Amino acid sequence: MLSQRSIDIIKSTVPVLEIHGTTITKRFYDMLFTSHPELLNIFNHANQKQGKQQTALANAVYAAALHIDRLEAILPVVKQIAHKHRSLGVKPEHYPIVGQHLLAAIQDVLGDAATPDILQAWAEAYGIIADAFIGVEADMYHQAEAQKGGWADFKRFRIVRKVKESDVITSFYLMPEDGAPLAAFEPGQYVSVKVEIPGDEHTHIRQYSLSDRPGKPHYRLSVKREDLVAARPAGKVSVFLHEMTTEGDVLLLSAPAGDFTLDQQDTRPVVLISGGVGLTPMVSMLYTLAATNPKRQVTFIHAAQNSLHHAFKRHIEELALQYPAVSFYWCYDKPTASDRAENAFHREGYISLDWLQSVVPTPSASFYFCGPVPFMKAVNSALREWEVPEEDRHYEFFGPAGSL
């Protein structure tokens, strides 16, 4: 337990962290990778280049300081991050290394303002928070390995099918190389994929949602090729998977993880809203609902540029014919002439509150949404304006956790 004096000292640093948090975390990563370049095998290099990882860590440190006297308030965030840590292979021995360089970065950025009392208080707090992560992650590692079909760390899976779903998204059907049964997963969860790219010094790990329902003899990952997006660093792993892998190749996978999961005990209507490749966990949820609870009312809304970028369109339209409780709507912001001629979409432009209210029967539903951050901010804002309670708004960030 932290002393009241340490709690008071850490709370006094909240305004400083609000201003200098990202500067501190940028310096932290510089120092960490200089001293321990082997840790580059764990981190997403693209997120580092874009500053997403630094911002996410700054937000986490700020939240820890703000709630240091009631850490139970950030326990949901701890569990969310712990899922990612487990899937990446973060181990207890990494925490002292991180703590050492985080304190050094605080001292380096703040200079004389980082007094010995402040550094000591943060060292104590970090120790408590690290212990919480280590404990939660130990349970997750045990559960991942002990479950039927489970495994520790990374396991070899063979690509048994590779299917182009749209101009930018390809699905990979994967089965264990050893022929063992698959570990179960919850609709909405993801796996980490570890690859070695020829010519690169470090391995790369990326997390991809499982896009098929549980109970199939395979895992399916549906990956967007990211080098086709302007003003963003090329996605090395997505390009590698699209261009350099073929059926029969082997990928290394972690056991399924993640807390963005469908509540299958809820009997109320469910609304699944996605943008771009954010539809992958939603498709898993939709297929699961159709297979296990076909009478539960489902509204599936997907936003894409146009039909060329729209994966699983035909599959979902065919599924809705079999299950009358499922309704679907497509929003295209850049429809092609063919899309217009074929009436291939329901709304041109972006999702808005008035349009949502016209197609969703009731706000008394469970809402799940995923996609680019600006898209999720717009959806979250619309649902909040519609007075959908926070506990009924569920969302997932692809990459480091951000804020809506």
Side-chain angles (χ1 to χ4, degrees):
M1 289 291 292
L2 281 174
S3 67
Q4 187 59 49
R5 173 173 165 74
S6 293
I7 289 172
D8 292 342
I9 290 173
I10 288 170
K11 277 192 166 290
S12 75
T13 66
V14 168
V16 177
L17 292 172
E18 192 170 14
I19 297 170
H20 299 289
T22 303
T23 304
I24 290 169
T25 54
K26 285 180 179 177
R27 182 64 181 135
F28 157 73
Y29 282 115
D30 288 342
M31 299 170 80
L32 178 69
F33 295 141
T34 299
S35 299
H36 294 274
E38 73 279 3
L39 293 180
L40 284 163
N41 289 313
I42 295 177
F43 285 86
N44 183 318
H45 305 176
N47 287 336
Q48 290 287 326
K49 289 179 182 177
Q50 295 177 63
K52 292 181 179 179
Q53 193 73 52
Q54 296 89 332
T55 300
L57 179 58
N59 289 342
V61 172
Y62 175 80
L66 192 63
H67 301 290
I68 196 67
D69 52 346
R70 50 188 188 94
L71 287 176
E72 67 277 4
I74 63 169
L75 190 58
V77 179
V78 170
K79 289 183 176 177
Q80 182 184 67
I81 297 172
H83 272 285
K84 295 195 174 186
H85 284 180
R86 199 276 296 159
S87 76
L88 292 169
V90 172
K91 299 295 174 62
E93 56 266 27
H94 293 136
Y95 281 92
I97 297 170
V98 168
Q100 173 192 344
H101 289 87
L102 185 58
L103 291 173
I106 291 172
Q107 187 169 27
D108 188 67
V109 171
L110 300 185
D112 292 342
T115 64
D117 284 349
I118 286 176
L119 293 173
Q120 179 58 36
W122 265 106
E124 292 175 21
Y126 177 82
I128 290 171
I129 294 168
D131 285 345
F133 272 104
I134 291 169
V136 170
E137 289 161 17
D139 287 342
M140 289 181 176
Y141 275 109
H142 174 72
Q143 292 168 15
E145 186 173 7
Q147 67 177 314
K148 183 179 179 181
W151 68 93
D153 298 318
F154 288 84
K155 180 173 177 173
R156 291 169 64 89
F157 276 70
R158 194 168 295 283
I159 301 172
V160 295
R161 285 180 65 204
K162 184 176 177 181
V163 179
K164 186 174 181 179
E165 307 287 3
S166 75
D167 281 5
V168 293
I169 295 175
T170 292
S171 286
F172 300 82
Y173 290 75
L174 305 167
M175 296 180 70
E177 188 181 45
D178 62 6
L182 285 173
F185 68 92
E186 294 293 320
Q189 288 193 305
Y190 56 81
V191 295
S192 286
V193 178
K194 181 191 285 189
V195 299
E196 293 185 7
I197 298 177
D200 280 18
E201 179 182 359
H202 301 285
T203 59
H204 296 265
I205 302 177
R206 295 294 184 273
Q207 291 159 333
Y208 296 110
S209 296
L210 293 155
S211 63
D212 212 338
R213 69 173 176 84
K216 294 291 188 72
H218 57 257
Y219 288 155
R220 185 176 71 184
L221 310 180
S222 302
V223 179
K224 180 183 177 184
R225 179 173 169 146
E226 291 292 351
D227 69 332
L228 301 180
V229 179
R232 259 202 249 161
K236 279 194 170 185
V237 175
S238 68
V239 173
F240 171 81
L241 291 173
H242 275 248
E243 283 196 349
M244 301 180 68
T245 64
T246 60
E247 293 177 359
D249 287 349
V250 169
L251 299 176
L252 295 174
L253 266 64
S254 70
D259 63 349
F260 177 65
T261 56
L262 176 68
D263 181 357
Q264 298 187 65
Q265 305 305 313
D266 192 352
T267 58
R268 296 176 301 157
V270 60
V271 183
L272 307 175
I273 308 174
S274 56
V277 76
L279 93 164
T280 52
M282 304 305 181
V283 168
S284 178
M285 293 180 185
L286 175 65
Y287 288 2
T288 301
L289 286 163
T292 63
N293 195 356
K295 293 184 178 180
R296 185 175 176 188
Q297 190 174 38
V298 182
T299 305
F300 191 97
I301 299 170
H302 181 60
Q305 288 186 29
N306 49 53
S307 60
L308 300 177
H309 289 244
H310 189 169
F312 303 113
K313 180 177 188 289
R314 179 175 56 82
H315 297 279
I316 294 168
E317 290 174 348
E318 291 176 353
L319 180 142
L321 291 175
Q322 301 175 48
Y323 299 98
V326 174
S327 56
F328 61 88
Y329 300 91
W330 313 136
C331 297
Y332 292 169
D333 62 291
K334 297 177 182 176
T336 65
S338 176
D339 292 334
R340 289 195 173 94
E342 296 174 9
N343 292 317
F345 59 97
H346 302 86
R347 175 177 174 79
E348 182 171 354
Y350 301 102
I351 294 172
S352 63
L353 175 57
D354 59 344
W355 183 78
L356 269 179
Q357 290 172 327
S358 73
V359 298
V360 175
T362 173
S364 299
S366 192
F367 291 81
Y368 296 80
F369 54 100
C370 185
V373 173
F375 168 86
M376 292 204 296
K377 285 184 175 181
V379 171
N380 190 56
S381 177
L383 295 179
R384 190 171 57 238
E385 188 176 343
W386 203 7
E387 299 183 349
V388 174
E390 185 175 359
E391 60 268 22
D392 287 336
R393 289 181 264 135
H394 313 278
Y395 53 88
E396 170 89 317
F397 287 95
F398 284 173
S403 172
L404 297 189

